[in-house]
Amino acid sequence: MTLLKKLQWSFGLLLFFFVLPVIAGQLPFNKQASTPIKEPEDKQVVFAATNLPEQSALEQTKEETKNQAKEETKDQTKEETKNQTQDQTQDPFKVLLLFTHSQESYQPMVKAVSGKAAYYDEKTNIYNLKDTISKHFSMNGIQTDVLDVDVMKELKLKGKSFPDSYNFVRPYLAKRLQEQSYDLVIDFHRDSAKKNATTITHNNESYARIAIVIGAEHKNYRWNTAYAESLSATMNEIVPKISRGVISKSGDNVDGRYNQDLTKEMILIEIGGIDNTEEELNRTIAVIGKAISKSFNTGNK
């Protein structure tokens, strides 16, 4: 081999090794290797304590609970406002007082004023208790009116006698009941019984006992009796045995009506007897006021 051929052969080998990598890069099976690798893109990842459906349900439940609480509060406020309005607009329990035997008196009270012992008196008598009764009733939420007629004084002026009392006061009472309505009408009297029958001691305090009289000879008898029995029972709950009970009267030598036929809500109360003191009467009047409030739901708290 000549020198020229050796040089040509060497140059051919060098060219082959130089071109070979270029040719290999163009072949199909090596395409992937020659493709540049893309760097992964940065993505923002959000981490949550729960998945989206559960989170949505939880938020919805919270919102519904919140709304329900608001509605309940609103309803409660409306109910309280309604009750307050009813309390403010509710008519008071109204009682009418009358004193058919207006000059019946209590011996200790008359004696303290005039020094004389008397069971009837023109000035110091049961009719003068009207202000004390009204005061105690008012303290128990009871509105009180008085049939302002001194019956026994008027009887004397007109030349009539004691047995005419109920017939005399009747037109006055009938007129008042036509003009106004009352929840209860009470005709107050004083019993003629002595101290041992008309006095009771409770917690070291003495009280004038009461008796409730109902006329049994008229259509309202059962209604009047129901009112009387309710009041009597409640008084005995407050002070045991302060009430001597309900007495029904009919027959000869009694009135039998006591004008209770004019209204279903009328009773006659004999408070104390001829020997009871002013202090004993005042304590009992306070009990009557409390008992009316409890028995007939006057709205007083």
Side-chain angles (χ1 to χ4, degrees):
M1 183 178 293
T2 65
L3 179 60
L4 178 62
K5 286 185 178 182
K6 287 181 180 181
L7 291 172
Q8 289 176 344
W9 175 251
S10 297
F11 179 78
L13 287 175
L14 290 172
L15 181 64
F16 173 78
F17 285 112
F18 177 80
V19 176
L20 180 61
V22 175
I23 296 172
Q26 299 299 319
L27 294 177
F29 59 81
N30 201 33
K31 195 76 173 178
Q32 182 177 0
S34 64
T35 303
I37 299 174
K38 294 184 178 180
E39 293 293 332
E41 296 180 1
D42 291 337
K43 293 185 179 179
Q44 186 175 3
V45 180
V46 178
F47 295 92
T50 60
N51 59 35
L52 290 179
E54 291 176 345
Q55 183 70 20
S56 177
L58 179 60
E59 293 298 330
Q60 183 177 358
T61 301
K62 288 182 178 180
E63 187 65 25
E64 290 175 353
T65 303
K66 183 178 179 181
N67 292 337
Q68 183 179 359
K70 285 182 179 180
E71 290 298 323
E72 289 177 354
T73 302
K74 187 186 296 183
D75 292 341
Q76 183 178 358
T77 302
K78 286 182 179 179
E79 186 66 24
E80 290 175 352
T81 303
K82 180 180 178 182
N83 292 336
Q84 290 175 358
T85 303
Q86 288 177 344
D87 290 341
Q88 292 173 356
T89 59
Q90 184 179 7
D91 291 335
F93 192 88
K94 296 171 68 175
V95 175
L96 176 64
L97 310 178
L98 67 149
F99 303 84
T100 300
H101 294 161
S102 56
Q103 292 184 6
E104 289 178 330
S105 61
Y106 301 88
Q107 183 172 278
M109 294 173 65
V110 176
K111 191 171 184 178
V113 174
S114 63
K116 63 180 181 179
Y119 302 146
Y120 294 91
D121 191 81
E122 294 181 355
K123 296 181 179 179
T124 308
N125 49 50
I126 193 170
Y127 185 57
N128 296 139
L129 293 178
K130 61 183 183 294
D131 292 336
T132 301
I133 296 171
S134 297
K135 177 182 177 181
H136 281 288
F137 281 19
S138 177
M139 291 170 63
N140 287 279
I142 303 166
Q143 180 178 312
T144 307
D145 287 346
V146 178
L147 190 66
D148 203 6
V149 182
D150 188 338
V151 178
M152 295 183 71
K153 178 181 178 180
E154 295 298 322
L155 286 175
K156 292 176 183 177
L157 292 174
K158 292 176 172 54
K160 296 183 179 294
S161 61
F162 189 83
D164 297 319
S165 301
Y166 289 103
N167 287 333
F168 180 85
V169 78
R170 186 178 180 86
Y172 292 95
L173 176 59
K175 185 175 183 295
R176 177 64 67 88
L177 293 176
Q178 288 177 353
E179 295 171 347
Q180 297 187 46
S181 61
Y182 293 93
D183 298 293
L184 188 63
V185 180
I186 305 176
D187 188 2
F188 276 99
H189 290 252
R190 182 265 297 143
D191 201 337
S192 59
K194 299 291 288 183
K195 188 175 183 66
N196 61 343
T198 64
T199 310
I200 188 104
T201 300
H202 177 68
N203 290 339
N204 297 320
E205 298 281 6
S206 57
Y207 296 80
R209 299 183 73 192
I210 66 112
I212 305 179
V213 179
I214 300 295
E217 298 179 0
H218 59 89
K219 62 181 181 180
N220 291 331
Y221 164 68
R222 294 189 182 279
W223 288 93
N224 302 140
T225 301
Y227 276 86
E229 289 177 345
S230 177
L231 182 60
S232 176
T234 305
M235 289 189 66
N236 282 336
E237 290 175 2
I238 299 171
V239 177
K241 297 183 180 181
I242 193 172
S243 173
R244 294 156 56 198
V246 179
I247 303 170
S248 297
K249 289 194 174 182
S250 61
D252 298 336
N253 301 319
V254 298
D255 185 277
R257 293 186 310 176
Y258 304 108
N259 289 323
Q260 293 165 0
D261 58 312
L262 294 177
T263 177
K264 296 177 180 179
E265 299 85 13
M266 184 172 176
I267 60 177
L268 186 157
I269 295 181
E270 291 185 337
I271 177 169
I274 54 178
D275 295 321
N276 284 111
T277 66
E278 184 174 5
E279 291 78 12
E280 291 166 345
L281 294 167
N282 286 341
R283 294 186 191 110
T284 299
I285 290 169
V287 174
I288 295 173
K290 292 178 182 178
I292 290 174
S293 181
K294 289 185 64 176
S295 296
F296 307 125
N297 191 23
T298 65
N300 184 54
K301 303 295 182 186

